[in-house]
Amino acid sequence: MTRLSVNVNKVAVLRNSRGGREPDVLAAARACLAAGAHGITVHPRPDRRHIVAEDLPPLAEAVAAHGVELNIEGNPFAPPRAGYPGLLALCEQVRPAQVTLVPDSDGQLTSDHGFDLAGDLAALVDQVAGFTALGARVSLFVDAGNPRVERVAECGAQRIEIYTGPYAEAHASGDAGAAIAACADTARRAQAAGLGVNAGHDLSQANLGPFLAGVPGVEEVSIGHALIGEALYAGLDATVRAYLEILARHG
């Protein structure tokens, strides 16, 4: 069955908008894990606008206590600065099971594109090797339809994460056929190259089932924005369980 990793960044956004500790990111993560989530995802950015470095050790402990995985996302090329020691340094502190590398710029509102994978990949190979040396599984964020997705294996990574934003937009417009086909083709080509397949961005209860029905062999979905929004009405426990029911139907 496809695993669910809950991204708790949006809880931290709400906390940081006011200062202090509420809502409590750790308590939210624990609620998701108690409901059956298979892992927690965080994306600590250099501007510290949501998850911050100080959040990571207690989150790592909570995830380990449940025997599931912590997935840390980030740009490996973002330089260290005050309050942000760099992605590799953060991962050295907490040793996540998975690191998802994304090509975000500092001012980017959210992850909205994957690695191009063209040209010389030596710098990316070096970055992947650093995270692999920590014992982490490395996943690279890629666009559906990327003609060079097989090159992820050349980088030494073990998985891709398909950027599903365009699929979610197409699904909302009522015509997701081409977007699903692009995601499915990307997944098949990655799997043929020996890579595992994750997916994430703008997945929701409304579009997750059709996505899984159309895209073969997805090992993990990372869902945050929609899940936290839906939980405002139904609660975290009920919302996480609703997602798990969708995954079970398509397992």
Side-chain angles (χ1 to χ4, degrees):
M1 186 178 81
T2 304
R3 292 181 293 276
L4 170 67
S5 185
V6 177
N7 188 319
V8 294
N9 284 345
K10 286 299 184 293
V11 180
V13 169
L14 186 56
R15 175 198 65 189
N16 296 351
S17 71
R18 181 71 177 265
R21 300 184 60 179
E22 295 296 333
D24 189 317
V25 173
L26 180 59
R30 285 174 170 158
C32 294
L33 294 171
H38 305 111
I40 295 295
T41 290
V42 292
H43 188 151
R45 293 178 182 270
D47 63 10
R48 293 172 60 88
R49 67 177 181 263
H50 38 66
I51 291 295
V52 296
E54 299 91 311
D55 292 321
L56 295 181
L59 284 171
E61 289 181 12
V63 169
H66 278 81
V68 294
E69 294 192 348
L70 177 64
N71 172 43
I72 298 182
E73 301 177 341
N75 183 350
F77 299 108
R81 65 208 71 178
Y84 182 80
L87 184 63
L88 183 62
L90 289 173
C91 292
E92 285 174 340
Q93 294 174 21
V94 297
R95 303 291 175 123
Q98 181 170 264
V99 179
T100 301
L101 305 184
V102 297
D104 285 352
S105 63
D106 275 10
Q108 202 166 316
L109 181 62
T110 186
S111 304
D112 63 7
H113 66 281
F115 286 99
D116 181 69
L117 301 173
D120 185 1
L121 299 179
L124 191 52
V125 169
D126 288 344
Q127 292 292 340
V128 170
F131 294 102
T132 301
L134 299 179
R137 179 174 65 246
V138 179
S139 176
L140 297 190
F141 201 56
V142 301
D143 295 317
N146 186 309
R148 293 172 288 273
V149 69
E150 292 85 357
R151 297 199 73 192
V152 171
E154 297 176 28
C155 296
Q158 292 78 43
R159 291 190 186 180
I160 63 167
E161 180 174 324
I162 299 174
Y163 168 49
T164 51
Y167 158 71
E169 185 176 347
H171 182 273
S173 73
D175 185 14
I180 278 283
C183 291
D185 179 68
T186 301
R188 292 188 188 99
R189 287 170 46 225
Q191 290 156 353
L195 298 163
V197 175
N198 298 340
H201 203 89
D202 289 340
L203 293 174
S204 68
Q205 290 185 56
N207 63 37
L208 179 59
F211 177 80
L212 295 175
V215 181
V218 176
E219 298 191 44
E220 177 182 287
V221 289
S222 174
I223 304 178
H225 184 81
L227 188 152
I228 299 301
E230 292 159 350
L232 290 175
Y233 311 109
L236 276 172
D237 186 89
T239 303
V240 169
R241 293 180 188 277
Y243 275 96
L244 294 175
E245 289 176 6
I246 295 170
L247 297 180
R249 288 199 297 270
H250 294 275

